[in-house]
Amino acid sequence: MKPNTNNTLLYSGDQQKATIKKSQFAKDVVRGFSRKPKSISSQYFYDEKGDKIFQEIMNMPEYYLTRSEYEIFSQQRKEICVAFNAFDEPFNLIEFGAGDGYKTKLLLSYLIENGADFTYYPVDISKHILEELSESLQNELPGIKVRPLNLEYFSALSKLSEINNRRSIILFLGSNIGNFHINSAGGFLQRIKWYCKEGDQLLLGVDLKKDPKIITRAYDDPHGITKKFNLNLLSRMNRELGADFNIADFTHHTFYEPVLGEVLSYVISMKQQLVSFKSLDWEVNFDEFELIHTEISKKYGLDELESLAKEQGFKVLEHFRDTKKYFVDSLWELK
Ligand code: AVJ
């Protein structure tokens, strides 16, 4: 196959297309690498290796997000659960992107100790992490009703709306909403609404705008862990799509743009090079210093967050912030 020097994608007939069809990952890579700038969805960070590197990120002193939200839950869980109105009737507690449940367990244990009647539905696309979570919950909070859903968010919501008509409280924590541009965040909230009913609630964990230096350090860390997290995308393509990325020829760049409140992350090709994807029978060119956009991590002002809620038809019930005001868990109700 001829080198692909103008960013158009090279296919080699029907056999080829069938191979690409096999995996959503392959399809998304081919699509994303045909854009300008090239891009890849940040959801692909989280294979088993990426999950581990993300744990390392959360343990870095510079990555304040996890600790801030942990502080909110440990100091204000009573107020949060009261605002949930959690002690009157049975409800569904649904968590999108539950991960290891480190912070959520603070809420779960409080709810259980105080006799709330609920079923916890952790939703995650990583089967591996869901299995670990359910096992640790059975050990640490015996008697908890857990139904893990290894589904994409909206398939999970649609499934739940078929199962029962209890009130639902949806947790979307850890500033995961920051992976959407503000406009797509609106679309995401609309889709949530589609499956929900009046009185359902949403607890949204959101990283707030703050001193840009603090934000920059959290994503451009001196340990090289965030770099490793980004470059794992290339290793994952090597492992799963038979690509031959030479990781040492790529680096990572991230910066914070404080007006929009966006951290933008990129992988950069440090020389002109061709990378071939053996299992896809496909090659792609990278120019010297060409960028692959890998992630957006959007930070909000409280005012921005309130207008987002209003525009999308939610009522803001309460903002729970940490003592440094770095992070907010914002409780919304569907009108
Ligand atoms: C898991 C999406 C909240 O954007 O802060 C951490 C992922 N990326 N360091 C974030 C991440 C780089 C994280 N979220």
Side-chain angles (χ1 to χ4, degrees):
M1 197 183 284
K2 270 199 309 191
N4 171 12
T5 48
N6 58 0
N7 285 312
T8 48
L9 297 167
L10 305 175
Y11 293 95
S12 61
D14 291 329
Q15 176 100 29
Q16 162 75 40
K17 280 181 192 143
T19 318
I20 289 176
K21 233 183 210 160
K22 266 190 204 157
S23 121
Q24 188 63 43
F25 184 29
K27 271 199 264 183
D28 287 348
V29 167
V30 170
R31 199 181 305 132
F33 282 3
S34 65
R35 293 209 177 102
K36 237 181 162 159
K38 290 186 173 67
S39 67
I40 182 167
S41 160
S42 58
Q43 78 180 86
Y44 292 112
F45 280 136
Y46 306 95
D47 64 348
E48 202 165 328
K49 228 170 142 200
D51 285 343
K52 289 219 175 74
I53 306 172
F54 186 56
Q55 300 277 353
E56 285 181 54
I57 288 179
M58 291 191 289
N59 287 326
M60 310 191 299
E62 294 82 7
Y63 195 76
Y64 57 84
L65 288 80
T66 313
R67 269 183 314 282
S68 306
E69 194 169 43
Y70 191 86
E71 189 215 278
I72 296 172
F73 286 0
S74 50
Q75 295 185 3
Q76 302 177 66
R77 57 187 187 159
K78 179 175 176 191
E79 289 75 10
I80 294 173
C81 294
V82 167
F84 279 167
N85 214 342
F87 305 101
D88 295 347
E89 38 177 72
F91 63 95
N92 303 317
L93 187 65
I94 304 155
E95 180 167 9
F96 284 172
D100 63 4
Y102 170 64
K103 294 160 288 169
T104 315
K105 283 173 184 170
L106 287 168
L107 296 181
L108 297 174
S109 59
Y110 186 87
L111 290 168
I112 288 180
E113 283 158 23
N114 292 280
D117 182 1
F118 68 102
T119 304
Y120 176 51
Y121 298 90
V123 183
D124 210 296
I125 40 168
S126 164
K127 195 173 170 197
H128 154 81
I129 211 146
L130 268 183
E131 283 164 358
E132 277 187 12
L133 174 63
S134 341
E135 202 182 301
S136 78
L137 283 173
Q138 301 301 347
N139 293 330
E140 293 164 35
L141 299 169
I144 186 171
K145 287 182 257 177
V146 191
R147 304 279 175 276
L149 299 172
N150 185 205
L151 293 170
E152 179 266 323
Y153 299 155
F154 296 104
S155 324
L157 279 188
S158 135
K159 192 164 179 190
L160 273 172
S161 61
E162 288 163 20
I163 295 177
N164 70 44
N165 51 14
R166 290 178 173 182
R167 191 167 68 94
S168 290
I169 301 173
I170 300 170
L171 310 176
F172 195 43
L173 309 176
S175 202
N176 282 320
I177 187 111
N179 278 166
F180 294 107
H181 275 281
I182 188 158
N183 295 331
S184 347
F188 179 76
L189 293 164
Q190 278 310 301
R191 288 186 71 190
I192 291 186
K193 272 187 78 175
W194 176 257
Y195 296 102
C196 291
K197 48 200 176 305
E198 212 184 304
D200 284 356
Q201 292 177 335
L202 178 63
L203 185 69
L204 211 51
V206 182
D207 195 18
L208 294 170
K209 286 180 174 166
K210 61 182 67 59
D211 181 349
K213 289 186 193 63
I214 294 173
I215 296 176
T216 301
R217 265 201 301 275
Y219 292 86
D220 197 10
D221 70 89
H223 322 286
I225 299 174
T226 311
K227 177 179 177 188
K228 190 168 66 170
F229 186 58
N230 274 269
L231 294 181
N232 177 52
L233 285 169
L234 307 185
S235 326
R236 183 175 181 182
M237 289 184 263
N238 285 354
R239 286 190 294 271
E240 294 181 24
L241 306 178
D244 64 354
F245 282 100
N246 184 0
I247 313 298
D249 290 335
F250 291 83
T251 188
H252 160 248
H253 181 67
T254 178
F255 66 96
Y256 176 58
E257 198 290 287
V259 177
L260 294 171
E262 293 176 347
V263 174
L264 298 174
S265 299
Y266 296 91
V267 165
I268 307 178
S269 173
M270 295 309 281
K271 59 176 206 191
Q272 189 275 324
Q273 53 192 318
L274 272 177
V275 171
S276 60
F277 286 68
K278 218 170 156 199
S279 19
L280 308 180
D281 192 17
W282 177 57
E283 282 184 326
V284 61
N285 177 67
F286 291 89
D287 288 334
E288 188 180 23
F289 305 130
E290 186 171 350
L291 305 173
I292 309 170
H293 173 56
T294 56
E295 191 178 38
I296 168 178
S297 302
K298 157 101 178 124
K299 315 303 171 191
Y300 284 82
L302 277 188
D303 51 340
E304 249 180 321
L305 205 53
E306 290 193 357
S307 36
L308 181 63
K310 207 167 156 193
E311 278 162 29
Q312 303 305 329
F314 290 87
K315 182 181 167 203
V316 178
L317 297 182
E318 212 166 331
H319 293 306
F320 301 94
R321 276 183 296 172
D322 61 308
T323 44
K324 289 181 175 153
K325 300 192 167 60
Y326 282 180
F327 200 93
V328 66
D329 281 288
S330 189
L331 184 63
W332 299 3
E333 188 167 285
L334 201 88
K335 287 193 285 201

